[in-house]
Each structure stands twice: as structure tokens, then as C-alpha cells.
Amino acid sequence: MAIFLKELLLGLYLLIQHDYYRERLMALQGGVPLVLFAGMFAVLLVALWLTAHIRSAPVRYLFALLFFASTLFFDVYTQVSAEYLTYGTFVSLIYSGGFIDEALYQYWASILVCAAKALPLLFGIALAPRRRLPLPGIALVAAPLCALLLLTGILFVRGGVGARGLPAMYTPLAYLNLFAYEAASSTVGPREAVSLPRHGQAIGNDIVLIIDESVSGNYLDINVEHGVRTNLGQSPPGATLYNYGYAAAIANCSADTNVTLRYGGTRSDYLRINSTMPSIWQYARKAGLRTVYIDAQRTGGRLQNLMSKSERKEIDEFVQFDGTPVRDRDMAAAQKLIELLGNDTAELIYLNKIGAHFPVHDKYPDDFMIYRPALPRGQYADISDTGERDGFGGQAEDWGRYRNAYRNTLLWNVGEFFARLFARARLDNAVLIYTSDHGQDLHERGNPGLDTHCGGDPVVEEGLVPLVVIQGHGLHGLDWQGELASNRNRSSHYNIFPTLLQLMGYDLTALQAVYGKPLSLHTEDEFTFNTRFNARLGEKANWKFIDLNEVVKPVLQ
């Protein structure tokens, strides 16, 4: 029996994963696709068996760890999201690598379960072989490499598609090969300088873009009855508020949305524009504005949302809140914004708020625990973007508590944020645009899974965000009122970048030709968000239309 221990362990691993393979077999049904799938499955399985008989212990251990880590990555994503790991999603996760430490907090329970399931694979490869196969040692080492290259080649030809149902330990490694190829062969070209013409002199007022985190438009009182109080229901002293209602997000992931808001990518040309065109910072500096970035989410100078070191150099003042508890960072951001609006210096201010990204257990004070029952509190006060949801199993009662904690978080990080800002800030010489990076899937429909956004098959609420403009009474800015009625519930993030450029004095005709329509015009927006932002290797972006008739109207528990 001991001589077949490797085969038994590898067989046990495959047996544990049998639902994944059986689902794929049932989908194929029969014919040529089934024959091709079975052939590829057999090749990968034989290569795995040969890998387990590599004679060199260090090389065998290396493959054991690589396959273990790969299948663990795949299984954790699948368990948490209840979705298959596509190549586009893999790329988004790579770009979100700065959140890895928080993700460990969020999903440690799932990681432990998946790691336990993958242990037979780890030991099945790592244990010393009890018999010597009649093959040269180099052939045994080459077997997994050739199998991985074969799968990578198939995925390359098929635009990243084709690994579903195959042994899972190969899939993330093949995706990593594709990603490395794309990175090495990228020829997007150098970043261009500002060339759009401007009218008049340097801008003499502040322009502020406030990007909230994970705030879904259908949970706010400015859009729905019985929504969470935002203090955006009426104009503040010294300014006029224009509520554009629901807007479509760029994508349902933070990095995709933020990088496009900073570079102005359009639906038809976002990859090229985001990679080669000037940033919002460059346009602001050309218009005579000082540039300020307030990042309430990260600390220690860490960059996020695909911001590069070269882009960082375009920012005159880079603000983070080291030492400030996560719960209080949006209030610290409000205070910083109050100071900047009163410093008599014309600035472009871009603010990434803490908002309501999970975990939402502790993102609000006890005094703001209005909606009950909520998630248990006291363990995740220092986690900004993710955290272990203790006892959260994704059942109906779990999501009920989650939605109440989410409402309490909105009451604090949206409602109280604007209450403090409006009470103390000088608004007469500024234009503020408020939105969120994406919405949320809070599982009101009872759909499975534990995730709230970034899924490959999102519900419409993941792309639904608020859009509000606040203009000071001391400015003769854009005619917001003229198209407000026609653009309400019909605009998107794609209208924000051209709006910012118009506010900076750039020629309307010229900017519109490159970046599309600002909010001062009838937007005629498609009202879609991108569910496949990282469309690569011949894939096409996938646009999901937001039908407002399908949007869930949240009900209090």
C-alpha cells in the first residue's frame, strides 16, 4: 500500500474536487468538445503524476509548493465568490495585490478550509517516491513545464478561455504566464503631454472630486424613500447642490474605476487612453491648479488603484492619515478638505474615501448604530478594506445583519462626512463632484456567494452609484441646471473627466472629441458598466446595462 501512497493522495485530492470536474463534464454533454477536454485533462493528469516522481527533492518540493499555492488561490476565490476564476478576474486580482494583507484577514477561514483540502496534493507531490520510473530525470522535470506551456498556449489562442474543469492547480499558473507575456510585450507607448487648447487665464477656484468607496446609489436618501440620511438632500450654505440621481459606474472594481477617472478612458478607447494620455493631474497643472490627493484608505505612502510612482510625482500634496483609526479617517479627510477649501489657493483635490468597503462591522461609532440587528463589533476597527466576518456564512440572516451594518456605515461615512463638511467648509469658491467607485451586491435577491463586488457576473446594483455636483455661489461655472432633468438617472462616470476638463477651461469641442460629453451637455449615456475591464488576448469588454426597473429597493429588516 505504501508504494502507491502518492497515487492515493493525488486521487484523494481529485476526489475532493469532483464537483468541479463533474459540473464541467455535464456542461460539455458529449461530442468533439468532450473528447478534446478529456484528452487535455489526461495530459495534465499524467504530467502531475510524473511531477510527483521527480527524483530531485528540492525540485519536487518547488513544484509541490507551486501547485499547492496555485490550487489554493483558485479554490479560495471560487469558494468566496461562488464564481469561476476567469483570466480577466485574475488580472484584476493581480492589480489589487496591495490589498493582500487585508484579504488574509477577510478570508482566513476560507483559506484554512481550502488549504486543508489541498494538503493531499502538496504531500502527494512532495513525498519521496517509493519507486523509480523508467524515464530520464530531465523528462520528469520537463513534464509539468510542457503541460503548463501547452495549457498556456491553448488559453492564449482562445483569449484566456478554456481552462474550466481542468485540474485546478494549472489554471492560475497558466494565467500568470499570460499576464507575464502581456506585461513583457506591452507596447502602449509613452505618456503624452497636454495638447488640448484652453480658454482664458488660470483657474482661480477649487475643483474637488470625491470618490466614495462601495457606496451603492440605491441605499441613499437622495435616491430612494427611507434611504440612509446623507445630508445631500438640500443645498448647503454658500453653494447649490445638483443631484444627478443614479449614475453608471465605470466598472464594479475600485482600481478599474479610479484609474479611468484619473486618465479619462472612454467606453470605446479606455485601454489606450488610460495608458498613453495625460492624467488629470497634468491637465490641472496646465490650468494653473495645485494638485492634491487625499487617500483615506492606505497609509505609509502606499500607492493603490494602479497609481504609479511617475504619476505620484505629478501630485503636489499627497495626504494619508497614518495613525488615525480606520473609523475616523473619513472625518479626518473632511477636516483636511475643510482646510484646503479655506486656504485661498486654487487646487484640484482628488479624495478617495474609506466609505463602506467590507468589513463594515466597525466602520461607525456606537452612537451611529441605528439599524439593528447588525454584524458583531469590536474586532475589525483597524481593517480598512477587508476583514474576517466572524460567523458570516452568507445566509439570509447574515446578509440582513450585513445590510444593517452597511446602513450604519453610510450614516457615518457619508451622512456625517457631509454634515461636518457643510457646517464648516468654505464652499462659495469651489465645485465639488461626489460619486462612488462602484455599487454593491448585498444579496437582496438571495443569490449565493460572500462577495459584494468585483464579480464576473455582477447584479446591476454593483454598477449603480450616486452622482452629485455642488457649486459655490461665488462662481459663474457650468450650466448644471440646463441639462439636469435630462441627465438625471442617465449619466455615468464617463461624463466626469470631460466635466473636470471643462471646469478647468479646456475647449469644449476639443475635449469632447477625445473624452466625450460633460454633464453640461445632454449626455446620452449608454448607462452601462464594464464587467470585463481587463479584456485581453482578443477578448472584448463586457458591458452590462443598468435597467432601473431591475434595481432592488432595499427593505429595512
Side-chain angles (χ1 to χ4, degrees):
M1 180 69 71
I3 197 172
F4 295 108
L5 182 58
K6 281 182 169 289
E7 286 80 0
L8 290 173
L9 288 171
L10 295 178
L12 176 60
Y13 166 75
L14 294 174
L15 183 62
I16 291 172
Q17 304 287 337
H18 75 280
D19 284 340
Y20 170 63
Y21 306 120
R22 181 173 55 84
E23 179 183 339
R24 183 58 177 159
L25 287 173
M26 293 178 64
L28 289 172
Q29 294 182 342
V32 175
L34 179 59
V35 173
L36 295 176
F37 171 81
M40 189 64 199
F41 193 100
V43 168
L44 296 179
L45 205 58
V46 170
L48 178 63
W49 180 67
L50 294 175
T51 304
H53 289 82
I54 292 175
R55 296 172 193 129
S56 170
V59 175
R60 195 174 62 253
Y61 293 160
L62 177 61
F63 277 108
L65 290 173
L66 284 175
F67 281 163
F68 175 79
S70 181
T71 196
L72 180 61
F73 182 91
F74 182 93
D75 291 344
V76 169
Y77 176 83
T78 301
Q79 178 171 310
V80 168
S81 68
E83 294 178 353
Y84 175 72
L85 178 66
T86 65
Y87 178 56
T89 301
F90 176 83
V91 173
S92 292
L93 293 173
I94 291 294
Y95 283 149
S96 301
F99 304 139
I100 184 64
D101 50 346
E102 291 94 350
L104 293 175
Y105 283 105
Q106 164 66 26
Y107 300 122
W108 71 266
S110 296
I111 292 172
L112 289 178
V113 170
C114 293
K117 292 180 179 179
L119 284 177
L121 174 68
L122 177 66
F123 290 114
I125 298 175
L127 290 176
R130 295 298 186 94
R131 51 197 169 127
R132 187 184 183 94
L133 297 182
L135 291 172
I138 189 67
L140 298 177
V141 176
L145 298 177
C146 291
L148 185 58
L149 286 176
L150 176 61
L151 178 59
T152 303
I154 292 173
L155 297 181
F156 178 84
V157 171
R158 300 192 61 190
V161 177
R164 188 187 295 266
L166 295 174
M169 74 290 296
Y170 289 98
T171 303
L173 294 175
Y175 286 166
L176 191 60
N177 285 343
L178 294 178
F179 182 76
Y181 166 79
E182 286 197 290
S185 62
S186 177
T187 55
V188 296
R191 182 74 61 187
E192 297 181 15
V194 173
S195 60
L196 290 180
R198 285 187 65 252
H199 301 303
Q201 301 176 347
I203 303 302
N205 59 274
D206 291 321
I207 301 173
V208 183
L209 178 58
I210 302 174
I211 311 297
D212 225 324
E213 171 65 60
S214 301
V215 171
S216 194
N218 63 324
Y219 267 75
L220 306 181
D221 64 350
I222 55 174
N223 293 323
V224 294
E225 189 178 6
H226 306 304
V228 176
R229 187 181 74 249
T230 61
N231 290 303
L232 292 170
Q234 59 184 12
S235 297
T240 301
L241 186 148
Y242 304 90
N243 177 20
Y244 284 83
Y246 291 130
I250 286 168
N252 58 323
C253 264
S254 302
D256 305 338
T257 290
N258 273 282
V259 71
T260 308
L261 286 172
R262 299 197 312 268
Y263 285 97
T266 63
R267 282 188 177 88
S268 61
D269 201 15
Y270 65 91
L271 291 176
R272 182 190 68 84
I273 290 177
N274 288 353
S275 299
T276 65
M277 297 294 282
S279 68
I280 194 62
W281 317 111
Q282 292 172 272
Y283 280 112
R285 282 183 162 183
K286 188 75 172 181
L289 293 168
R290 183 172 177 266
T291 55
V292 182
Y293 176 50
I294 304 175
D295 180 9
Q297 298 176 9
R298 305 267 74 80
T299 58
R302 293 169 57 196
L303 303 179
Q304 63 162 334
N305 293 326
L306 306 183
M307 182 177 286
S308 65
K309 292 182 179 179
S310 59
E311 182 184 350
R312 166 68 180 84
K313 294 177 181 178
E314 299 166 358
I315 301 170
D316 296 315
E317 184 175 359
F318 185 92
V319 181
Q320 290 178 335
F321 303 103
D322 297 8
T324 301
V326 170
R327 188 198 70 184
D328 299 326
R329 286 193 199 156
D330 272 357
M331 301 308 118
Q335 179 57 39
K336 181 62 180 180
L337 185 53
I338 290 167
E339 295 170 6
L340 292 169
L341 291 173
N343 66 4
D344 294 322
T345 301
E347 294 162 325
L348 169 72
I349 305 167
Y350 189 113
L351 167 57
N352 274 130
K353 293 175 74 269
I354 281 287
H357 196 289
F358 55 78
V360 291
H361 305 62
D362 297 304
K363 279 197 167 75
Y364 56 91
D366 291 341
D367 291 346
F368 281 73
M369 192 173 184
I370 305 302
Y371 299 94
R372 300 169 184 262
L375 295 173
R377 290 166 61 73
Q379 300 182 56
Y380 312 109
D382 294 326
I383 309 300
S384 62
D385 298 292
T386 185
E388 159 60 14
R389 292 175 288 198
D390 188 22
F392 190 88
Q395 302 303 312
E397 58 272 19
D398 295 323
W399 279 114
R401 291 191 294 269
Y402 190 104
R403 289 189 285 269
N404 281 338
Y406 181 76
R407 289 181 174 97
N408 294 330
T409 300
L410 296 180
L411 197 62
W412 172 248
N413 279 341
V414 180
E416 182 64 15
F417 173 89
F418 281 108
R420 297 188 183 191
L421 184 67
F422 291 165
R424 299 164 55 189
R426 177 188 170 188
L427 300 175
D428 63 299
N429 198 43
V431 177
L432 292 76
I433 300 177
Y434 170 72
T435 188
S436 178
D437 52 0
H438 51 72
Q440 294 281 271
D441 175 10
L442 298 183
H443 297 256
E444 290 95 337
R445 297 177 176 84
N447 48 311
L450 300 177
D451 61 331
T452 61
H453 59 281
C454 285
D457 185 23
V459 297
V460 293
E461 290 83 14
E462 285 191 48
L464 196 67
V465 294
L467 181 57
V468 174
V469 172
I470 304 162
Q471 179 168 286
H473 290 162
L475 301 178
H476 298 287
L478 306 186
D479 180 13
W480 308 105
Q481 192 64 49
E483 294 292 343
L484 180 62
S486 63
N487 289 342
R488 181 177 170 82
N489 298 331
R490 295 181 181 90
S491 300
S492 76
H493 280 162
Y494 291 99
N495 303 120
I496 292 178
F497 195 90
T499 300
L500 294 174
L501 296 189
Q502 190 180 12
L503 287 169
M504 293 178 193
Y506 287 94
D507 180 74
L508 177 59
T509 301
L511 71 88
Q512 186 178 340
V514 179
Y515 297 108
K517 294 184 176 183
L519 291 170
S520 61
L521 303 179
H522 182 51
T523 57
E524 299 176 341
D525 190 79
E526 297 175 19
F527 218 61
T528 59
F529 65 102
N530 196 342
T531 69
R532 192 188 293 143
F533 188 87
N534 294 299
R536 0 269 306 176
L537 304 173
E539 279 192 319
K540 302 294 183 182
N542 187 44
W543 301 100
K544 187 177 184 72
F545 174 70
I546 301 176
D547 185 345
L548 293 180
N549 293 320
E550 297 179 5
V551 172
V552 169
K553 296 180 180 178
V555 177
L556 295 178
Q557 302 298 315

